Amino acid sequence: MGKPYATELNRLSETYAWALKVPIEPITAAVSASATLSLLAVGSGGSFTAAHLACALHQRHSGMVSRPFTPLEFVSSSLYLGNLGAMILSAGGTNKDVVAVLKNAALREPRRCIVLCLRRASSLSRLAKSYRYMDLVDLNPPSVKDGFLATNSLLAFSVLLARAYIGVFSLYPALPERLEDLTATFLKNFLNKCKPLCQRETLVVLHGSTGHSAALDLESKFSEAALGNVLLSDFRNFAHGR
């Protein structure tokens, strides 16, 4: 994994505080301009979870159908993008797949194209700047680069996106000031309740509409770190035999 995972977890509060305070007017403006469009969001690895969250927020609050894509799905699709919005998310901005997505999107000319990158002056950022119609937002979080699993970058994406949609659609309540205030209720007695699950090689993770992105990320973490097998299902589909 490149470095101890505990090191990354210990920086989550710092990342949350940064993402809560950093100016996000460019993100808010881009989301506002895309509010009447269906959205395709593209990401790979941990950024795919962020893409899924972006689509969930967009569809829930704008009412426009939205869908996350992996890079391969996006470049292989024959969808007409001329009346759609696209969002490309990348933590490092150097992955060849996400750079290829941006080049492909530029040729297909979506109505709006938002590029959200957590590293300034990356390959992705430099390419996006060469297209005047793209909404580029590149930021430098305080946390160092994630290890094998997306951790701080995913939290940063999540808070930035939540803040943008809260601002555009005047949602309430706002995010709390500290990460601990956000997680305290959820984490209370959580570890004790989950101890029996640690002995299982295969887990079925059930989710509703608001928990879908979190369930997707849990499956990603378990698969990439070889912790076990995770099967996903929403509550009602599970009732039909999943």
Side-chain angles (χ1 to χ4, degrees):
M1 293 174 63
K3 59 182 174 178
Y5 193 46
T7 302
E8 299 180 45
L9 295 178
N10 288 336
R11 301 203 68 172
L12 287 174
S13 293
E14 180 185 8
T15 298
Y16 181 86
W18 170 84
L20 197 65
K21 298 299 183 182
V22 67
I24 61 163
E25 286 79 7
I27 309 176
T28 303
V31 168
S32 179
S34 304
T36 59
L37 304 174
S38 289
L39 182 72
L40 308 182
V42 189
S44 59
S47 294
F48 181 73
T49 300
H52 191 283
L53 177 62
C55 288
L57 290 168
H58 194 82
Q59 183 165 295
R60 181 179 183 86
H61 299 298
S62 75
M64 304 302 294
V65 173
S66 303
R67 183 186 184 285
F69 280 73
T70 66
L72 179 60
E73 284 181 308
F74 183 81
V75 300
S76 301
S77 72
S78 58
L79 290 173
Y80 172 66
L81 304 184
N83 57 358
L84 301 175
M87 181 183 291
I88 301 171
L89 302 102
S90 177
T94 57
N95 184 282
K96 292 182 179 179
D97 284 349
V98 77
V99 172
V101 164
L102 182 56
K103 292 178 179 178
N104 184 274
L107 292 174
R108 296 163 68 183
E109 297 184 340
R111 180 74 62 85
R112 297 202 70 91
C113 187
I114 306 168
V115 179
L116 181 54
C117 183
L118 297 182
R119 183 181 297 174
R120 284 195 176 129
S122 66
S123 301
L124 185 69
S125 297
R126 292 195 301 271
L127 180 59
K129 284 181 180 178
S130 67
Y131 299 103
R132 287 182 296 175
Y133 70 91
M134 291 190 177
D135 298 307
L136 170 65
V137 182
D138 58 347
L139 303 166
N140 274 339
S143 55
V144 294
K145 182 181 178 182
D146 283 329
F148 186 68
L149 300 177
T151 308
N152 285 277
S153 61
L154 180 54
L155 177 62
F157 274 137
S158 300
V159 175
L160 294 171
L161 289 167
R163 286 181 61 199
Y165 279 89
I166 287 171
V168 171
F169 293 97
S170 302
L171 305 177
Y172 184 83
L175 293 171
E177 289 294 319
R178 302 185 308 148
L179 179 63
E180 292 75 13
D181 297 331
L182 184 67
T183 60
T185 301
F186 175 77
L187 291 178
K188 187 178 182 180
N189 299 320
F190 178 76
L191 293 179
N192 287 333
K193 291 180 179 179
C194 289
K195 276 184 179 179
L197 301 179
C198 295
Q199 308 303 319
R200 305 282 183 175
E201 293 184 0
T202 300
L203 300 175
V204 177
V205 176
L206 305 182
H207 61 82
S209 58
T210 56
H212 194 178
S213 297
L216 183 73
D217 189 60
L218 185 63
E219 188 278 333
S220 173
K221 295 290 192 291
F222 266 67
S223 296
E224 293 183 14
L227 296 176
N229 308 308
V230 170
L231 306 176
L232 302 181
S233 177
D234 67 46
F235 296 114
R236 291 310 308 157
N237 209 32
F238 181 75
H240 285 270
R242 288 296 182 270

